[in-house]
């Protein structure tokens, strides 16, 4: 499986609104995906983000080709879930947009 994290500044009302709009768009286009929302830093993620879980190869292909063109200006982290969270969030990770600083000490 893969996780796609879309980052937003949780204290910026305009970004919160745009993040919610993007979540709604994703739910409409990809109703099979589970989305988790964090409006504060959590784990290695230093700002708010929402996570889209991709469980099947077809989901990965469809979403990872869609999100670069539809992410607005949000930073996006795509990483596998191999059981090694440190490597998944670093060596195995892909970024779209500006790379965010992660707190790797929690991994």
């Amino acid at each position: 499986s893969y996780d796609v994290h879309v980052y937003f500044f949780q204290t910026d009302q305009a970004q919160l609104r745009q993040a919610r709009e993007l979540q709604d768009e994703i739910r409409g286009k990809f109703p099979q995906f589970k989305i988790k929302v964090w409006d504060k830093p959590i784990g290695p993620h230093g700002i708010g983000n929402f996570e889209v879980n991709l469980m099947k190869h077809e989901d990965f292909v469809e979403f990872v080709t869609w999100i670069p063109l539809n992410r607005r200006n949000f930073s996006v982290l795509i990483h596998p879930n191999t059981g090694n969270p440190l490597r998944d969030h670093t060596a195995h990770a892909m970024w779209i947009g500006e790379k965010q600083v992660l707190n790797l000490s929690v991994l």
Side-chain angles (χ1 to χ4, degrees):
S1 68
Y2 282 80
D3 292 338
V4 178
H5 297 272
V6 179
Y7 293 94
F8 57 88
F9 290 102
Q10 67 274 6
T11 57
D12 182 319
Q13 292 304 310
Q15 278 205 2
L16 279 172
R17 186 183 71 256
Q18 290 175 349
R20 288 185 187 117
E21 290 170 358
L22 181 55
Q23 291 165 35
D24 290 343
E25 186 176 349
I26 292 167
R27 284 185 181 103
K29 184 162 181 64
F30 306 100
Q32 73 273 28
F33 297 164
K34 182 176 178 184
I35 299 175
K36 301 176 198 169
V37 181
W38 290 282
D39 60 357
K40 61 183 179 182
I42 186 168
H45 312 286
I47 60 175
N49 77 93
F50 67 88
E51 175 184 311
V52 180
N53 301 122
L54 306 176
M55 305 306 291
K56 299 186 296 190
H57 175 75
E58 305 83 46
D59 294 342
F60 177 88
V61 171
E62 188 174 7
F63 193 71
V64 172
T65 57
W66 181 86
I67 194 65
L69 302 176
N70 295 280
R71 66 180 177 88
R72 284 112 171 127
N73 285 322
F74 294 115
S75 297
V76 178
L77 168 65
I78 303 167
H79 71 80
N81 295 303
T82 67
N84 185 330
L86 180 60
R87 290 187 58 79
D88 290 346
H89 286 79
T90 56
H92 298 153
M94 298 179 283
W95 285 93
I96 302 169
E98 185 178 334
K99 186 175 180 180
Q100 297 294 308
V101 176
L102 299 177
N103 178 4
L104 300 176
S105 68
V106 302
L107 302 175

